[in-house]
Amino acid sequence: MSGHSKWATIKHRKGAADKRRGKLFARLIRQVEVAARAGGGDLDGNPTLRTMYQKARDASVPLDTIERAIKRGTGELEGVAYEPFTYEGYAPAGVALYVEVLTDNRNRTSSEVRSLFRAHGGSLAEPGAVAWQFRRGGVITVSRAVDEEELMMATLDAGAEDIVDEGDTWRVTCAPTDLPALSAALEAAAIAVENAESTMLATQAVPVTSIEQARSVLRLVGELDDHDDVQGVHANFDIPDEILQDLAASV
């Protein structure tokens, strides 16, 4: 079980999603705008925009808000030019962090991210230092109430690579290019998808076995994730369930 995804699930279950709704909307709108700027505003001719558009709709971002973001991206409305880039570094206990950013001021963001690493016992690394410990993959979350055999029948011929029991949910992984087909296969089988996204998956895990180290790692991950310019924080920690549950009680 991935400790990182388990922690994300626990935070979601404890109502953090409501608190972070505005943050999620801002991220999705920014991603829509960047996709439109890079490949045009036609959903049929811009697969990246189509994916971002669907993610925004799935998150209940208002349609007019999405359309304005597309127009800012294509230049029909005045907007800000966002630059995508990544940071790589380490949290306490040697946990690798891969941070994805969209910003209109790279110098400001770099300074702020560097300060967060330093303030929470982490350190930035050179590009490529930790990227090799992650791979891009598709992840779909399905309720644990779904029968495992039913889930396997619906997904294995649609590109599923693995199905993992994460307590309250199943986590189905696939190649990022297979994500639309896998989502469609689940929909055809009348299996509800709780979440579907292309993300960075850790290829190896770093065990974090003390509650003090776990608290330090998660504090840094949380602070980075809360930064307005950060689009995603990916980590390879593996924290035992009992420690995660203890920490979740204080979230």
Side-chain angles (χ1 to χ4, degrees):
M1 178 182 296
S2 165
H4 190 207
S5 62
K6 180 71 171 183
W7 175 248
T9 299
I10 289 173
K11 288 203 300 180
H12 176 77
R13 299 296 182 200
K14 291 186 67 64
D18 289 339
K19 177 182 176 182
R20 297 172 57 79
R21 183 180 179 86
K23 170 77 170 182
L24 174 62
F25 275 26
R27 282 182 175 174
L28 292 172
I29 292 165
R30 190 176 294 192
Q31 290 168 1
V32 166
E33 187 172 336
V34 169
R37 179 171 290 110
D42 179 12
L43 294 178
D44 292 330
N46 186 342
T48 301
L49 176 60
R50 186 165 62 248
T51 299
M52 293 301 102
Y53 176 94
Q54 191 58 52
K55 285 181 67 175
R57 293 297 291 148
D58 290 345
S60 300
V61 178
L63 183 58
D64 61 339
T65 301
I66 300 173
E67 291 175 344
R68 284 198 301 272
I70 293 174
K71 289 180 179 179
R72 286 196 300 272
T74 59
E76 296 175 67
L77 294 176
E78 185 177 353
V80 176
Y82 293 108
E83 177 186 7
F85 61 100
T86 60
Y87 295 102
E88 299 176 40
Y90 296 95
V95 170
L97 297 181
Y98 187 86
V99 184
E100 296 179 294
V101 166
L102 280 176
T103 182
D104 60 343
N105 188 326
R106 184 165 182 164
N107 289 336
R108 182 203 68 226
T109 303
S110 295
S111 175
E112 292 172 355
V113 169
R114 185 176 295 109
S115 295
L116 287 174
F117 268 91
R118 186 167 52 245
H120 297 285
S123 60
L124 283 173
E126 294 297 319
V130 304
W132 60 273
Q133 299 180 61
F134 298 87
R135 68 177 179 88
R136 180 67 63 179
V139 176
I140 292 179
T141 304
V142 174
S143 170
R144 185 63 177 77
V146 176
D147 179 74
E148 182 176 12
E149 185 174 349
E150 179 187 1
L151 184 59
M152 291 179 63
M153 292 292 290
T155 60
L156 289 182
D157 289 337
E161 297 175 347
D162 195 15
I163 298 174
V164 179
D165 182 354
E166 296 206 321
D168 293 337
T169 61
W170 295 108
R171 182 169 63 99
V172 186
T173 56
C174 64
T177 52
D178 288 333
L179 194 59
L182 193 55
S183 297
L186 288 167
E187 181 179 352
I191 297 175
V193 172
E194 292 190 359
N195 186 59
E197 63 178 339
S198 175
T199 187
M200 298 297 287
L201 303 173
T203 57
Q204 60 183 38
V206 173
V208 179
T209 55
S210 78
I211 193 167
E212 292 80 12
Q213 284 185 331
R215 184 177 288 109
S216 296
V217 170
L218 295 175
R219 185 178 294 122
L220 174 54
V221 170
E223 289 290 335
L224 288 168
D225 197 45
D226 282 341
H227 192 284
D228 287 343
D229 296 337
V230 172
Q231 303 301 296
V233 183
H234 312 286
N236 68 346
F237 61 74
D238 189 8
I239 301 174
D241 284 356
E242 57 271 21
I243 293 180
L244 281 174
Q245 295 291 350
D246 288 344
L247 290 171
S250 61
V251 171

